[in-house]
Amino acid sequence: MSAAPDLITRQIQRDIRNRWLLSLPALLIILLAATGPLLIVVVYSLLTPGDYGDVKWVFSTEAWVSVFFQRDMFDDTLTPASAHLSIFMRSVNLSVMTTVFTVLLGFPTAWFIATRPARSRDLWLFLITIPFWTNILIRTYAMLEVIRNEGLINTFLMRSGLIDKPLQMLFTDGAVLAGMVYTCLPMMVLPIYASLEKLDFRLVEAAYDLYATPFRVLTKVILPIVKPGVVAGSILVFIPSLGAYVVPILLGGGKTMMVGNLIGLQFGQGRNWPLGAALSITLMVVVMIALLAYVRYSGGKGAKAHG
Amino acid sequence: MKTKLALALTGMLLASTGLARADGELNIYNWGNYTSPEMIKKFEEKYKVKVTITDYDSNDTALAKVRQGGSGFDIAVPSQSHLPIWIAEGLVQETDVGKMENAKNIMPEWSNPDFDPGRKYSAPWLWGTVGVVVNTDVYKGPADSWGILFDPPAELKGKVNIVPEMSDILYAAIKYNGGKLCETDKAILKKARDTLVNAKPNWVAMEYGTIEKMTAGDFAASSDWNGSAFRQRLAKPSIHYFYPKEGFTYWSDNVVVLKDAKNLENAKLFQNFIMDPENAAMLSAFARYANGITGSEPFMPADMKGANELNVPADKKDKAEFMRLCDPATQELYTKIWTELQK
């Protein structure tokens, strides 16, 4: 009598074992390729900087202290690290602005594509992905050629007599923002398009039939449905923007630092690898907080919308 | 069908690498826009060696990369300020450059330098100074001062670039405030920091690419190296190079062979090759810096003779000194000022 349940238990056990065995390669990769390097970063953040880069294997929390506090270089008092804070805030600020602008530009673009006849949609999507064929460095240089003092726009404006001195567009905050929006836009368009594609346009018609204004249709019908796409796009844009390195250097002229550049400095001329490691982890924590906020936000309402 | 194609392609790849190996290779790690393509071509043809060049933009980048090992480079060209670290850290190998055939061509003042006594490791590449370039179409007044960068005249405000070489810029700011190389006096350092922080709103960028951006009009003044300034003047005659009266530095870049070089013999050939007057002249003709090789002048372009960029004026000679790296504690202070500057 007891044989049957026993068999089932054994079956289940074998099943569990198989699952573990089957997921072993994935787990190993996660361990070796993701967790391992991360642990190295954590360990490095707790060491002493070597004289000419690299680290000395001497435990120290100095790097973590200097992430949050700065020892005044002249009288040795500790004050909150205003330099790091303002650099972090600048990065967060830039990322938020980039996300907002990509939504503002990306949503109409995605809408336009989603409302084309099914056959031509593929072509439009294809056009959106074309910039991905080119390296980000080259795309950014192309942008530089357009906005520099003797670049395309200024030359055109000067020739047509609209201005007599070139407009300083390159090396401004606006140039960095424009560059970020330009490079991140496809990452916003594609997820929004993916959720717009599933939108049943009969719902929109129904809303109009019930005398909803276009604005109400947008806010009450369309936006709630495409929200998961907008949120996913925002994550895809926000997180890489936080670590932006190339665009701020090329279009911002390297004058205003972003977190990515601050971390880069520590591994180069700064010769303070522990501080660089500690700053990287701090950045990662900021990203993690943003992600957690996203999970709570979309996991609650977004999932229900799908269900 | 596909497998056949793949096999054929693999075969071709193998064949091509095999060929390249048979003729030898040399992997050079050097500053960007600095290596004369003509000279490399001559070297390749003479020794049947395939040369690959990879760029870096600062001594620190180069040092960091090579220290990690496995870089695959045979040769690097660090500045004299950093060369002692390369030697002390065991990154380079003794190739006894001083005893090579062409070593007799090294000018006496470069044959036994402090940074590499007896030239055991390094062959002289090029040397120069750090000063100020100004587009005199934009500003015509006197410009032989670091004040051009730190307290720019109205015409230059918002058009100044700073080449972000931390040591060079801190040196300039410290000199501007009456300090000395590797200054540790905190009162002077504080002044230097304030000078930099107050000057920053007048800068348009902190970038390396001055040759291109000065001539394209994106910058009207910049901290710069003399050869870079020379190339700018050739493209745009209104650009002039000035030697700051507060003091400025010399540097010299030197070819070393890395410890883990795979093509040791080719690397040694290269060290010897660049000390030949005709070849050294090709380096100078391209990068527009002076070399340390006797008898190379006749092979250089005529416009290099007597050029302002290559000849420190007599009244400024005693203002110049050799750049060196400061001790780690001072360096850390400098990094803090540098971060403060960029917040």
Side-chain angles (χ1 to χ4, degrees):
Chain A
M1 281 304 281
S2 66
D6 213 38
L7 204 67
I8 291 171
T9 336
R10 239 184 293 155
Q11 181 102 40
I12 290 173
Q13 271 171 352
R14 197 186 311 147
D15 205 38
I16 290 172
R17 205 176 48 231
N18 282 347
R19 277 170 199 221
W20 273 107
L21 278 174
L22 283 172
S23 50
L24 198 64
L27 287 174
L28 266 179
I29 286 179
I30 290 174
L31 203 71
L32 290 179
T35 322
L38 201 61
L39 278 176
I40 295 178
V41 178
V42 173
V43 170
Y44 267 48
S45 75
L46 291 168
L47 295 172
T48 310
D51 289 348
Y52 304 108
D54 217 328
V55 288
K56 275 190 237 156
W57 286 85
V58 179
F59 176 81
S60 159
T61 52
E62 187 60 28
W64 281 102
V65 173
S66 49
V67 168
F68 301 104
F69 298 100
Q70 58 193 28
R71 230 178 261 291
D72 190 286
M73 52 193 118
F74 301 114
D75 57 21
D76 238 27
T77 49
L78 277 183
T79 46
S82 63
H84 293 167
L85 188 70
S86 66
I87 292 169
F88 258 96
M89 284 319 291
R90 183 181 300 128
S91 285
V92 170
N93 211 349
L94 174 73
S95 306
V96 169
M97 298 275 279
T98 307
T99 312
V100 169
F101 275 96
T102 46
V103 171
L104 289 180
L105 289 170
F107 183 79
T109 313
W111 178 264
F112 173 83
I113 298 173
T115 51
R116 290 312 96 190
R119 243 183 302 162
S120 63
R121 274 184 222 162
D122 285 343
L123 176 71
W124 291 107
L125 276 180
F126 171 72
L127 290 177
I128 288 284
T129 56
I130 281 184
F132 277 129
W133 298 2
T134 318
N135 184 289
I136 180 172
L137 203 59
I138 293 167
R139 276 184 281 154
T140 314
Y141 267 110
M143 187 113 176
L144 186 145
E145 282 305 322
V146 173
I147 62 172
R148 70 191 310 174
N149 285 1
E150 290 176 10
L152 217 58
I153 296 179
N154 271 322
T155 309
F156 173 75
L157 290 177
M158 303 243 289
R159 290 249 172 95
S160 59
L162 287 169
I163 50 171
D164 53 1
K165 253 199 316 209
L167 296 173
Q168 184 67 48
M169 288 180 283
L170 187 60
F171 307 133
T172 59
D173 293 347
V176 177
L177 182 61
M180 294 296 299
V181 170
Y182 168 62
T183 49
C184 292
L185 193 59
M187 315 244 248
M188 184 61 85
V189 172
L190 296 177
I192 295 184
Y193 169 77
S195 47
L196 265 178
E197 203 187 21
K198 281 180 244 150
L199 175 72
D200 187 346
F201 279 90
R202 286 175 304 180
L203 290 174
V204 179
E205 281 168 31
Y208 277 125
D209 287 346
L210 295 167
Y211 296 103
T213 59
F215 182 73
R216 279 182 77 89
V217 172
L218 181 69
T219 53
K220 298 283 174 191
V221 180
I222 300 169
L223 280 185
I225 295 175
V226 299
K227 204 178 80 185
V230 175
V231 175
S234 303
I235 296 279
L236 284 179
V237 169
F238 184 78
I239 290 176
S241 302
L242 266 182
Y245 184 85
V246 172
V247 174
I249 279 195
L250 287 183
L251 298 180
K255 204 175 59 153
T256 44
M257 253 190 198
M258 300 292 160
V259 179
N261 313 109
L262 178 65
I263 294 171
L265 172 70
Q266 308 309 328
F267 289 97
Q269 299 190 42
R271 302 202 190 109
N272 194 341
W273 289 21
L275 178 58
L279 284 168
S280 309
I281 296 167
T282 313
L283 176 62
M284 210 144 45
V285 169
V286 171
V287 170
M288 211 122 84
I289 291 171
L291 268 180
L292 282 178
Y294 157 71
V295 169
R296 294 193 79 174
Y297 184 67
S298 67
K301 290 180 181 171
K304 257 182 234 158
H306 277 299
Chain B
M1 202 50 209
K2 255 188 193 162
T3 5
K4 250 186 205 165
L5 190 69
L7 272 175
L9 280 173
T10 324
M12 272 160 69
L13 270 174
L14 280 175
S16 65
T17 50
L19 274 176
R21 187 155 296 161
D23 286 339
E25 288 178 25
L26 182 65
N27 295 311
I28 298 177
Y29 193 37
N30 196 357
W31 299 77
N33 204 353
Y34 198 36
T35 316
S36 157
E38 289 84 27
M39 194 206 70
I40 292 297
K41 204 164 158 228
K42 189 177 164 193
F43 180 80
E44 285 184 318
E45 280 165 6
K46 181 164 182 189
Y47 295 106
K48 303 270 180 291
V49 161
K50 176 154 181 16
V51 175
T52 311
I53 299 172
T54 310
D55 290 355
Y56 55 82
D57 60 6
S58 74
N59 275 306
D60 301 280
T61 311
L63 181 61
K65 180 134 183 185
V66 170
R67 275 179 66 130
Q68 293 317 296
S71 62
F73 303 124
D74 302 309
I75 272 182
V77 193
S79 301
Q80 91 295 336
S81 56
H82 285 65
L83 186 54
I85 305 176
W86 291 63
I87 297 173
E89 302 261 312
L91 302 174
V92 296
Q93 51 179 304
E94 267 193 62
T95 49
D96 259 327
V97 175
K99 297 203 176 94
M100 286 182 180
E101 188 197 341
N102 284 335
K104 61 178 190 298
N105 300 324
I106 305 177
M107 288 177 184
E109 61 265 45
W110 295 109
S111 63
N112 190 23
D114 290 344
F115 51 82
D116 181 12
R119 287 264 174 215
K120 287 200 164 62
Y121 300 91
S122 68
W125 178 262
L126 295 169
W127 65 274
T129 52
V130 184
V132 174
V133 280
V134 175
N135 182 345
T136 55
D137 279 347
V138 180
Y139 174 72
K140 294 190 168 58
D144 61 339
S145 163
W146 292 116
I148 285 292
L149 310 175
F150 299 144
D151 188 13
E155 297 94 315
L156 291 176
K157 283 200 165 117
K159 291 173 184 153
V160 172
N161 175 63
I162 295 290
V163 173
E165 278 287 315
M166 187 171 87
S167 305
D168 288 342
I169 300 308
L170 273 149
Y171 171 83
I174 288 166
K175 274 287 177 184
Y176 189 60
N177 286 290
K180 60 179 193 301
L181 180 63
C182 290
E183 183 63 75
T184 48
D185 179 352
K186 297 217 166 161
I188 290 176
L189 287 182
K190 201 167 192 166
K191 274 196 217 155
R193 177 195 63 180
D194 294 344
T195 297
L196 291 170
V197 170
N198 294 334
K200 199 181 162 198
N202 297 318
W203 300 343
V204 64
M206 293 171 76
E207 281 209 346
Y208 283 97
T210 53
I211 297 181
E212 200 249 333
K213 296 217 171 66
M214 276 296 291
T215 49
D218 292 316
F219 308 149
S222 179
S223 65
D224 217 332
W225 295 290
N226 59 326
S228 161
F230 197 156
R231 288 166 79 179
Q232 292 163 33
R233 176 165 64 83
L234 293 177
K236 193 167 188 167
S238 61
I239 296 176
H240 278 253
Y241 182 68
F242 296 91
Y243 299 89
K245 58 179 183 237
E246 295 89 359
F248 55 94
T249 49
Y250 286 120
W251 50 264
S252 114
D253 291 337
N254 296 275
V255 175
V256 291
V257 178
L258 301 188
K259 186 137 263 174
D260 53 2
K262 290 201 182 66
N263 306 292
L264 177 61
E265 287 314 308
N266 291 338
K268 282 188 187 165
L269 286 175
F270 190 76
Q271 281 185 319
N272 188 50
F273 184 78
I274 61 155
M275 295 189 291
D276 175 85
E278 200 178 334
N279 302 335
M282 289 168 111
L283 287 182
S284 290
F286 177 79
R288 298 282 164 166
Y289 293 100
N291 57 60
I293 300 299
T294 320
S296 70
E297 291 85 359
F299 301 105
M300 287 196 215
D303 58 5
M304 289 187 77
K305 202 168 280 173
N308 158 55
E309 290 86 351
L310 299 181
N311 296 283
V312 181
D315 61 324
K316 294 277 173 57
K317 280 220 165 96
D318 59 333
K319 306 279 188 198
E321 56 192 319
F322 250 110
M323 186 48 129
R324 67 180 156 85
L325 221 56
C326 310
D327 64 279
T330 314
Q331 202 72 22
E332 199 189 329
L333 268 180
Y334 288 9
T335 307
K336 280 186 180 163
I337 296 179
W338 195 245
T339 309
E340 179 99 358
L341 175 64
Q342 307 206 35
K343 76 176 178 188

